[in-house]
Amino acid sequence: MPRIDELLAAGPTYSFEFFPPRTDAGEAKLRATLNELEPLGPSFVSVTYGAGGSTRERTHQIVVDMLEHTTMTPMAHLTAVCHTRDELADILARYRDAGVKNILALRGDAPQDVEPFWELERAIDLVELAREVGGGQFAIGVAAHPEGHPSSRVLAEDRRHLATKLTAADFGVTQFFFTVDAYLAMVDAVRSHGCDTPIVPGVMPVTNVRQIERFAQLSGAAFPTELGDRLHAVEDDAAEVARIGIEVATQLCRDLLDAGAPGLHFYTLNSSTATREIYANLGLPAATR
């Protein structure tokens, strides 16, 4: 199985993100989505991790199943919140022993139903633990927020910390955003701190207006007023909302690739339709990776 840093060194990557379902129906939907997207030949696919490890075993199961039964290269998300160092080391050792080579190391947001704690206080601490446990096997990614982490009060400090974190990792993947300028400003800022780690932009096409506005608020992404006005004008027409969302996401992807982004990471929300349409609009090559 290839490492993501090696894939990025060879050229642009195109990747998809999924979340572990909590029900049998959700699992059936995810498997159908995977079957529909696998023929596109993604460079890699990632599987998220629930707050406080709430989807710990499902994440592990899906990642290992992808590794053993599909042609896709999986990346496992892992968060430090509500885990001891020993627990995290054990999870990493299980991935190492299963042959998984790609990890996204995250500090993690506080879950709503339990008192949070962080024995590893920063994502960079989890990166260092993954290096230690993996013994060189893992390519390790970290998250980046183009408009600043929502808990950060000073953008310049956020950029400095981001550059330090990225330098310790092999690659970054951003939260979703809506303008190419937001991504380029972040990249320029971390480069000014001497960091040249590749940062893959994350794209989430709008398919539900209220949902995307809620996600944007939680992640700190600025939701453009003009786009909001267009979508709210047709919010009772699901097909038109999806059409506009796909059109806007396609243009953002084109702008990012034209600006030299090292790839595209699609937040699928466990559905294939929008991702497949954007992929086709961009004329991306299928089943070549």
Side-chain angles (χ1 to χ4, degrees):
M1 180 176 69
R3 289 168 46 120
I4 291 171
D5 53 350
E6 296 169 347
L7 293 171
L8 286 164
T13 61
Y14 305 102
S15 51
F16 309 142
E17 182 162 303
F18 309 100
F19 62 85
R22 296 179 181 273
T23 66
D24 290 342
E27 185 166 342
K29 178 183 178 182
L30 174 58
R31 294 194 180 281
T33 296
L34 293 173
N35 289 336
E36 291 165 348
L37 291 176
E38 185 174 8
L40 299 184
S43 308
F44 64 92
V45 296
S46 70
V47 183
T48 65
Y49 192 80
S54 56
T55 62
R56 172 176 172 173
E57 289 306 317
R58 282 185 179 268
T59 298
H60 187 274
Q61 177 185 348
I62 293 169
V63 168
V64 174
D65 186 66
M66 285 181 179
L67 179 64
E68 294 178 346
H69 302 294
T70 77
T71 62
M72 296 182 287
T73 295
M75 173 177 72
H77 291 216
L78 182 58
T79 61
V81 63
C82 294
H83 281 313
T84 65
R85 186 182 191 280
D86 287 346
E87 287 173 335
L88 292 165
D90 178 67
I91 295 168
L92 288 163
R94 290 179 64 199
Y95 280 129
R96 179 199 63 207
D97 295 345
V100 174
K101 293 186 179 180
N102 302 294
I103 300 289
L104 190 71
L106 307 162
R107 181 178 186 268
D109 298 322
Q112 296 180 350
D113 53 348
V114 297
E115 185 68 25
F117 70 91
W118 287 268
E119 189 168 316
L120 299 185
E121 295 184 354
R122 306 169 301 162
I124 196 171
D125 299 325
L126 184 53
V127 172
E128 292 169 354
L129 179 62
R131 295 269 186 234
E132 177 184 329
V133 174
Q137 177 171 306
F138 296 136
I140 305 167
V142 293
H145 292 74
E147 291 153 302
H149 192 281
S151 67
S152 178
R153 296 183 179 181
V154 181
L155 186 59
E157 284 296 297
D158 179 82
R159 299 298 199 223
R160 183 174 63 80
H161 289 304
L162 176 59
T164 300
K165 181 174 69 170
L166 282 163
T167 299
D170 297 303
F171 60 93
V173 180
T174 79
Q175 290 287 344
F176 71 91
F177 56 95
F178 296 99
T179 68
V180 68
D181 289 344
Y183 172 80
L184 294 178
M186 177 197 64
V187 171
D188 287 345
V190 298
R191 298 292 182 256
S192 72
H193 288 286
C195 172
D196 60 0
T197 304
I199 309 171
V200 180
V203 177
M204 182 182 290
V206 178
T207 56
N208 180 299
V209 188
R210 302 294 180 181
Q211 181 188 57
I212 201 73
E213 287 180 329
R214 184 173 70 254
F215 288 170
Q217 184 178 23
L218 291 171
S219 70
F223 193 72
T225 301
E226 181 180 356
L227 176 58
D229 291 344
R230 286 184 67 192
L231 291 167
H232 280 295
V234 298
E235 63 182 314
D236 294 329
D237 185 341
E240 184 63 8
V241 168
R243 186 195 67 78
I244 292 172
I246 290 167
E247 170 195 304
V248 170
T250 298
Q251 188 58 54
L252 176 59
C253 289
R254 287 197 180 105
D255 292 342
L256 287 164
L257 293 175
D258 289 345
L264 300 168
H265 186 68
F266 295 96
Y267 291 98
T268 70
L269 300 180
N270 288 13
S271 178
S272 70
T273 303
T275 301
R276 286 188 287 116
E277 290 193 30
I278 296 168
Y279 218 80
N281 290 344
L282 295 172
L284 297 178
T288 60
R289 298 170 200 284

